[in-house]
């Protein structure tokens, strides 16, 4: 251990999938900007995603390091930003152990999906903080359903039930619940391990900010009894265009082309459509989106990621699945920009021309939309996204629902039941992007939230204070160990 006055050393061990890796890298950068020494533990191939970004941070004087683990002989690296929660990373156990026995950081922040790592870290008596990637609201919803709702006894898939014990009246349907809630025989060991990981940890870091969900932040601490540091939105640490353009992966559109297109549009006139880093939609669904967007007559940027065709995953939506002539028409009348692959999401969301975000409600996208002041059309698919939708539309009232009813498994659906028709897409787009009194109210609420998000991460803000509080607590522990 370093001397008492040396900066606090925090290790960050992010997961490989985009929705978990990206915010943890940002979190490491935030802690470095508060004076800690942040070390990101990763694999050689994954480090390529953020190597340039961290080099820029170092040039700007931040104490931040990447440590790449040496992979065991014969093991291949996992570099897919679309790696799902069940991806097994335990081949990193030995290299992680070897690295940690030589070090003694003040604490390590690990992603919950490295399920196997908790034991190794605890054995070495290193303080362990868990990062789950979600916000306070979905935690409260899921915890109450898990502990107080007999899901198997709910006979109807589509009849709403009220989630008990929450500060607001939140209704869900059985069809919107994760498959492992409906069938407890699925993954019981993995879910138990993840729960224990948190229970035995020093605490948890949450990428949110107090003013976004105050009642739920209090609930997490006081009712669920979790020791939590709420330190976000961490995406706001990306200040330069460079940081915003190639976040996670290198964008398939260059910054200039993207900005030129957006600059040619009126304020609040463009809808940004993205389903995050994981989701794979079947061709039929993409066709419905195309028809719905065209019929709405609003301008859009549509990020087509991986698509799913008869359970076969296709990279970057490159197959020709769009309706005949759609792409040509969108180009000709300059209505739509289609990005196949990876988009510079922050750059787009923060542009003045963007007035709506059709999102799958991944926690990062939800938070990024809210903190950029962009109202949302919610289209949840998987994970805790249906809870996030309720936060957006029922609690914060900063979005409208497209009408998605079915929780679907993230990677493949033998029978895709979640299709949302073109008329619903058109209706939701017109409702959000139109100039009705309701849409103006939604817009003004989200702008107010964006202001609060920025204040939270500035000096004097709640998230800023919580980063400092964790650093101070770790310092106090160091002192206690020395005396
Ligand atoms: N992202 C991006 N460009 C893309 C797709 C995703 O920058 O084309 C980023 C997005 O800004 C967010 C993360 O990837 O930070 C996706 O996380 P989220 O929780 O929204 O969804 P997930 O990918 O985990 O389903």
């Amino acid at each position: 251990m370093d001397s008492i006055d040396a900066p606090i050393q925090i290790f960050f061990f992010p997961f490989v999938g985009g929705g978990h890796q990206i915010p943890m890298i940002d979190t490491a950068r935030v802690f470095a900007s508060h004076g800690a020494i942040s070390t990101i533990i990763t694999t050689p191939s994954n480090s390529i995603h953020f190597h340039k970004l961290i080099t820029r941070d170092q040039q700007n004087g931040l104490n931040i390091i990447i440590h790449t683990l040496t992979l065991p002989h014969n093991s291949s690296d996992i570099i897919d930003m679309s790696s799902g929660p069940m991806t097994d990373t335990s081949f990193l156990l030995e290299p992680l152990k070897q690295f940690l026995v030589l070090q003694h950081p003040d604490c390590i922040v690990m992603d919950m999906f490295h399920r196997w790592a908790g034991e190794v870290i605890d054995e070495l008596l290193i303080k362990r903080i868990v990062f789950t990637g979600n916000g306070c609201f979905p935690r409260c919803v899921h915890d109450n359903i898990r502990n107080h709702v007999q899901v198997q006894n709910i006979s109807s898939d589509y009849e709403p039930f009220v989630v008990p014990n929450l500060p607001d009246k939140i209704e869900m349907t059985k069809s919107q619940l994760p498959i492992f809630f409906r069938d407890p025989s699925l993954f019981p060991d993995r879910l138990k391990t993840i729960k224990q990981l948190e229970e035995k940890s020093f605490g948890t870091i949450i990428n949110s900010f107090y003013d976004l969900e105050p009642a739920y932040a209090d609930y997490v601490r006081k009712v669920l009894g979790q020791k939590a540091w709420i330190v976000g939105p961490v995406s706001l640490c990306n200040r330069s265009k460079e940081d915003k353009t190639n976040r996670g992966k290198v964008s398939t559109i260059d910054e200039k082309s993207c900005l030129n297109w957006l600059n040619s549009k009126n304020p609040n006139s463009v809808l940004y459509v993205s389903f995050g880093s994981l989701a794979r939609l079947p061709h039929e669904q993409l066709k419905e989106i195309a028809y719905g967007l065209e019929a709405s007559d609003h301008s859009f940027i549509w990020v087509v990621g991986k698509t799913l065709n008869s359970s076969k995953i296709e990279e970057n939506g490159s197959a020709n699945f769009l309706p005949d002539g759609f792409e040509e028409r969108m180009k000709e009348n300059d209505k739509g920009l289609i990005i196949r692959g990876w988009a510079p999401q922050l750059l787009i969301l923060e542009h003045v021309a963007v007035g709506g975000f059709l999102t799958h409600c991944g926690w990062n996208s939800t938070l990024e939309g809210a903190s950029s002041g962009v109202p949302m059309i919610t289209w949840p698919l998987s994970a805790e996204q249906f809870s996030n939708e309720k936060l957006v539309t029922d609690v914060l009232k900063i979005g409208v629902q497209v009408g998605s009813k079915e929780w679907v498994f993230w990677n493949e659906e033998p029978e895709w039941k979640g299709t949302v028709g073109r008329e619903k897409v058109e209706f939701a787009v017109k409702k959000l992007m139109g100039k009705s009194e309701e849409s103006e109210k939604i817009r003004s609420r989200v702008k107010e939230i964006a202001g609060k998000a920025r204040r939270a991460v500035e000096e004097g803000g709640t998230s800023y204070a919580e980063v400092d509080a964790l650093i101070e607590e770790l310092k106090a522990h160091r002192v206690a160990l020395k005396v």
Side-chain angles (χ1 to χ4, degrees):
M1 169 96 47
D2 286 309
S3 78
I4 284 182
D5 296 328
I8 287 296
Q9 290 227 34
I10 309 180
F11 286 5
F12 292 84
F13 186 33
F15 192 61
V16 284
H20 280 240
Q21 182 174 110
I22 294 169
M24 202 193 284
I25 303 299
D26 282 344
T27 307
R29 300 169 65 215
V30 167
F31 275 86
S33 73
H34 281 245
I37 302 178
S38 292
T39 301
I40 301 166
I41 304 173
T42 189
T43 65
S45 312
N46 274 282
S47 70
I48 294 167
H49 291 312
F50 45 86
H51 185 263
K52 277 192 187 154
L53 172 72
I54 299 304
T55 306
R56 278 200 300 278
D57 280 349
Q58 288 167 345
Q59 284 160 355
N60 289 332
L62 289 195
N63 246 327
I64 186 161
I65 304 153
I66 300 176
H67 176 82
T68 50
L69 298 170
T70 310
L71 300 189
H73 190 55
N74 285 342
S75 69
S76 50
D77 207 348
I78 300 171
I79 41 165
D80 190 358
M81 277 273 159
S82 309
S83 302
M86 297 306 164
T87 306
D88 183 9
T89 56
S90 60
F91 65 100
L92 296 174
L93 193 149
E94 273 311 314
L96 179 74
K97 205 169 172 179
Q98 279 167 24
F99 175 58
L100 292 180
V101 288
L102 300 174
Q103 310 284 326
H104 213 293
D106 293 282
C107 103
I108 175 163
V109 181
M110 61 163 285
D111 192 285
M112 68 168 181
F113 290 144
H114 292 306
R115 298 174 285 278
W116 48 271
E119 225 169 277
V120 181
I121 299 166
D122 293 351
E123 268 171 24
L124 295 168
L125 304 177
I126 300 172
K127 279 207 169 5
R128 181 170 57 77
I129 289 179
V130 178
F131 177 73
T132 63
N134 60 11
C136 299
F137 179 83
R139 278 164 183 264
C140 300
V141 172
H142 279 201
D143 199 274
N144 276 304
I145 294 177
R146 200 179 292 119
N147 294 324
H148 304 293
V149 179
Q150 295 293 326
V151 177
Q152 300 96 297
N153 295 347
I154 301 175
S155 52
S156 162
D157 277 347
Y158 302 107
E159 199 62 46
F161 66 90
V162 177
V163 182
N165 310 325
L166 294 177
D168 296 283
K169 185 181 173 196
I170 301 298
E171 291 187 327
M172 305 277 290
T173 64
K174 193 173 169 181
S175 66
Q176 296 173 329
L177 300 182
I179 194 160
F180 41 85
F181 277 25
R182 286 178 266 164
D183 181 355
S185 68
L186 289 172
F187 330 116
D189 294 341
R190 283 178 190 174
L191 294 173
K192 206 168 134 203
T193 313
I194 288 176
K195 195 162 187 298
Q196 285 174 348
L197 260 186
E198 271 206 89
E199 284 170 356
K200 290 188 192 161
S201 71
F202 180 53
T204 180
I205 279 186
I206 300 182
N207 180 21
S208 182
F209 58 102
Y210 185 81
D211 277 345
L212 180 76
E213 37 177 7
Y216 297 90
D218 291 343
Y219 197 101
V220 162
R221 288 175 171 141
K222 292 181 189 150
V223 183
L224 305 185
Q226 294 175 359
K227 188 172 167 92
W229 295 273
I230 303 171
V231 300
V234 293
S235 63
L236 290 178
C237 74
N238 294 282
R239 305 261 191 234
S240 71
K241 273 190 197 154
E242 262 174 319
D243 287 2
K244 290 175 198 169
T245 305
N246 297 312
R247 182 163 170 262
K249 273 176 148 177
V250 175
S251 296
T252 37
I253 183 166
D254 64 280
E255 175 206 315
K256 211 165 156 216
S257 317
C258 189
L259 289 180
N260 281 348
W261 193 86
L262 283 167
N263 288 342
S264 70
K265 303 290 174 206
N266 290 329
N268 294 330
S269 68
V270 175
L271 178 75
Y272 171 60
V273 183
S274 171
F275 292 85
S277 64
L278 266 171
R280 287 129 196 214
L281 299 181
H283 289 184
E284 310 81 71
Q285 181 60 85
L286 293 159
K287 281 205 167 76
E288 293 303 306
I289 295 173
Y291 283 123
L293 288 175
E294 187 167 12
S296 79
D297 206 28
H298 284 280
S299 297
F300 63 87
I301 294 181
W302 179 10
V303 191
V304 182
K306 289 183 179 173
T307 57
L308 183 69
N309 192 20
S310 315
S311 295
K312 196 172 136 275
I313 295 159
E314 292 161 343
E315 291 292 322
N316 301 339
S318 51
N320 187 22
F321 55 82
L322 297 174
D324 280 347
F326 171 79
E327 221 167 336
E328 291 76 10
R329 286 196 299 281
M330 294 306 105
K331 245 190 210 147
E332 248 163 53
N333 55 23
D334 208 21
K335 269 281 169 202
L337 177 67
I338 292 168
I339 300 178
R340 287 196 158 85
W342 196 257
Q345 180 154 310
L346 289 185
L347 192 77
I348 294 172
L349 283 175
E350 290 181 8
H351 195 282
V352 64
V354 175
F357 181 12
L358 193 165
T359 172
H360 73 308
C361 300
W363 180 252
N364 298 291
S365 293
T366 304
L367 197 57
E368 288 162 19
S371 47
S372 306
V374 179
M376 288 169 254
I377 296 174
T378 56
W379 189 328
L381 297 166
S382 200
E384 86 295 7
Q385 294 154 15
F386 279 93
S387 300
N388 299 340
E389 170 180 69
K390 307 287 173 194
L391 175 68
V392 170
T393 60
D394 298 8
V395 179
L396 301 172
K397 298 183 171 49
I398 55 171
V400 300
Q401 302 188 359
V402 82
S404 161
K405 289 193 166 67
E406 294 279 349
W407 192 97
V408 287
F409 211 38
W410 70 273
N411 56 354
E412 58 184 86
E413 277 295 300
E415 270 178 80
W416 177 268
K417 288 194 289 179
T419 305
V420 172
R422 62 190 76 176
E423 64 300 328
K424 283 192 173 172
V425 177
E426 178 189 350
F427 182 78
V429 177
K430 284 181 169 165
K431 191 169 170 186
L432 189 84
M433 301 299 287
K435 298 257 176 292
S436 68
E437 199 181 318
E438 188 188 351
S439 70
E440 290 307 325
K441 273 192 187 150
I442 287 178
R443 199 167 296 286
S444 85
R445 280 189 211 109
V446 75
K447 296 279 178 220
E448 200 180 311
I449 287 176
K452 289 179 178 172
R454 269 157 218 281
R455 285 194 288 283
V457 296
E458 281 164 8
E459 208 171 336
T462 54
S463 296
Y464 192 99
E466 296 210 15
V467 174
D468 282 349
L470 175 54
I471 291 176
E472 286 310 314
E473 194 164 341
L474 292 172
K475 273 186 192 160
H477 277 280
R478 195 190 266 184
V479 172
L481 284 178
K482 291 272 175 188
V483 287

